[in-house]
Amino acid sequence: MKNRAVNSLLQSSDLEKIATPAVRGKLLKLGISRSEDLLTFFPVRYEDETCVFKIAEAPQREPVQIEVTVIQAKVEFRPRRQLVVSVEDATGIASLRFLNFYPSQQRMLEAGVRIRVVGEFRMNRQRVREMVHPRYKKISAEDELPTTLTPVYATTKGLGQASIRKAVSRAFAVADHSDTLLPFHLHELGLPSFFETVKTLHWPQADVDPALLQDRRSEFWARLSFDELLAQQLIMRKNYDKRELYSAPIMSPVNQRMELFFSRLGFKLTNAQERALSEIQADMSKCLPMRRLLQGDVGSGKTVIATLAALQAIDAGYQVALMVPTEILSEQHFKKIEDWLTVLGISVERLTGSLTKSERNQATEKIKSGVAHIVVGTHALFQGDVVFKNLGLVIIDEQHRFGVKQRLALVDKGADKLNQTHQLMMSATPIPRSLAMSFFGDLDVSVIDELPPGRIPITTKLVSNSRREEVFQRIQDTCQSGQQVYWVCPLIEESETLQLETAIQTHELIQAQFPNLNIGIVHGRMKSQEKAKVMGEFTRGDIHLLVATSVIEVGVDVPNATVMVIENAERMGLSQLHQLRGRIGRGSGASTCILLYSSKLTDTARSRLKIIYENIDGFEVARADLQLRGPGEILGARQSGLPMLRYADPERDVLLLAKARHLAPDLLTNHAELAERHIDRWYGSREKFSEV
Ligand code: ADP
Ligand code: MG
């Protein structure tokens, strides 16, 4: 943060009353800029300093507190310089050892001083009980033992526990800790009051079970989770309702070109596709801007639905932008959509970073004049110089690869602010219901939960690297029978160059292995044209085996490819593996995905591969991934634009989430002031996140 911003934050904040400027600066680093933020900054664990043990009775190898008198403190060399302090109580003597110490410490620990010490006892070689580097403090006769557990907070360099504790105590005295839920809400939800929650979690009474608090199983943690989820739901709901302030073009779903489209399509939509389509059609025929997320596992057929939505917009006289994250995907979508729509008299344009200057000028000219009806493109689409004549629908494929800002940059190209474009976002990474409810609560969701008929489920095989030879044999057979193969090179996170080298080496190796086959290679460093050329050859069947880095992860559709080999599969994320695997099994032939793993697998790696091996359903994979790695991969770029949860876990707290979702609209309508205060308490001090 800029210094000026920091200063203004510090000045405007009520923290002034409770902390010195130095402490306030540190607190800011922890995201704390108001005294209210300290209330909701909860300890990560607790220490029990409420009772003392006698030296002779204290258990060993677990944290205990003793109250003792110093006999002597002396510096010893054995062989390192260290401070050894002998102490005693009525039951015996013990030794405290400090490897790093200040001279002042030695002076303070003079004979006769009473100290309270927290540490773990072990027997030293002299068979004396000893603590190494214990915490201690000097006490006087009237120092009573605390009656509450001692909170330990996550902190930052230069900010000690004592300072945070003091700040929290003072905040508790000045900040507003009145409840944002009404008594009857609490009663209905079976949750404790905010005041009681704050008090208990910062200063638990000695008789509560610290394990219960630490594992976050207590009702007080439930209250926090609920509050946080509620704040999130309130924000989402407000965003959702904000739509009512705008209008959007009304697009009728009835048109003749649709019939022609279907007659040429060559397949019937699945029931799930029909359902999703009619939801989208209904949205677009209203004068409210559509904000719909279309979810469907890889291969479930989202593209055709997107194309039908586009057709509806074009028929109503509007332009459509379809944005995808990679050149390969944009090329592929372009070809497919061109094939589907050109015969209907629709002009399909493309706009990617790889166009020459004059190609680009031509394209932007057509977009500006309205000659282009639908534009398929990459990030190039939302650049400043791209102007639409009348953009009415924005479709974002693989939405998790785009940030909120990027999406808004494209959406803002719509005709005017009040008459907004419809938005359709698509995701092939299935989002578990809990996450959909929490992080996507501001969107309507359609799910395609059925694959087109006739698909034979993909068989997944786990093969140790030491058995590569057998894999080669398999490939020979596959290619001879006229089918094609993907060979995916390992992901090398440390170095893109290394990854490239591996891909090139693998390519050479495989070429040598199969002199009779045509082997292609595609990777991220290739020019777009080269990439497109290779993908074209692979799609036509001229290339038998395609060596690829993970650039083919999203969206590529070559039905004749029936085998995929993934090297070092253990290095990849589960969702990514699932996406990759989804490139095969798209035709009517049986498909096999071979996961090669290095022979030395860790237990975690093994159990992760087992999940991919056992689950063909993307939702199951995503759920397992969520448990293993948290929501990062699933949320993708979206999380940068949204307030993250600190205490709640949508998956674990799914019941609370459902209740929060239920309460949010009620609170906004009937107790708007409480709702605002609730949002402010939980998210008020953080950076304003983008409107979605
Ligand atoms: P994804 O949802 O992963 O984007 P695609 O839209 O690429 O999936 O569709 C995968 C393949 O299935 C494409 O070749 C597409 O033409 C085909 N497809 C889509 N819907 C159907 C259907 N109802 N019946 C048969 N094939 C379909
Ligand atoms: Mg797709």
Side-chain angles (χ1 to χ4, degrees), residues 275-296:
R275 210 179 329 116
L277 179 63
S278 60
E279 284 163 357
I280 293 165
Q281 287 177 334
D283 281 0
M284 289 172 61
S285 51
K286 287 192 205 130
C287 67
L288 277 183
M290 165 168 79
R291 295 213 194 126
R292 188 169 284 278
L293 175 68
L294 176 59
Q295 273 198 268

Side-chain angles (χ1 to χ4, degrees), residues 518-589:
N518 201 356
I519 316 290
I521 178 169
V522 60
H523 55 75
R525 289 279 183 87
M526 278 161 80
K527 289 231 176 65
S528 318
Q529 265 107 343
E530 288 174 77
K531 261 191 253 173
K533 182 164 163 285
V534 174
M535 287 313 294
E537 286 169 4
F538 189 61
T539 311
R540 282 195 301 278
D542 296 344
I543 289 177
H544 300 106
L545 183 150
L546 184 65
V547 175
T549 53
S550 44
V551 293
I552 56 154
E553 181 191 336
V554 288
V556 176
D557 184 27
V558 180
N560 192 47
T562 57
V563 171
M564 173 177 285
V565 181
I566 305 179
E567 291 211 57
N568 286 112
E570 75 276 7
R571 290 193 195 160
M572 295 196 192
L574 290 184
S575 299
Q576 193 184 15
L577 280 175
H578 181 70
Q579 288 266 305
L580 278 169
R581 179 171 64 178
R583 302 303 114 223
I584 55 171
R586 301 192 146 231
S588 49

Side-chain angles (χ1 to χ4, degrees), residues 302-303 329 333 397-398 428 555 586:
K302 294 184 289 296
T303 317
L329 193 53
H333 275 6
D397 199 5
E398 311 293 343
R586 301 192 146 231

Side-chain angles (χ1 to χ4, degrees), residues 62-77:
E62 61 181 76
V64 291
Q65 177 166 250
I66 50 174
E67 203 172 299
V68 291
T69 310
V70 176
I71 306 172
Q72 68 164 2
K74 67 169 191 241
V75 177
E76 291 183 6
F77 296 85

Side-chain angles (χ1 to χ4, degrees), residues 483-500:
Q483 289 161 359
Q484 291 161 281
V485 178
Y486 290 105
W487 189 288
V488 182
C489 291
L491 177 79
I492 300 173
E493 276 174 358
E494 311 85 65
S495 153
E496 203 192 329
T497 322
L498 210 59
Q499 182 170 5
L500 189 65

Side-chain angles (χ1 to χ4, degrees), residues 28 72 159 173 240 255 262 281 346 348 399-400 436 515 524 534 551 641 669:
L28 213 51
Q72 68 164 2
L159 183 67
Y240 187 91
N255 65 73
F262 279 122
Q281 287 177 334
I346 289 169
V348 187
Q399 60 82 29
H400 63 287
V534 174
V551 293
T669 322

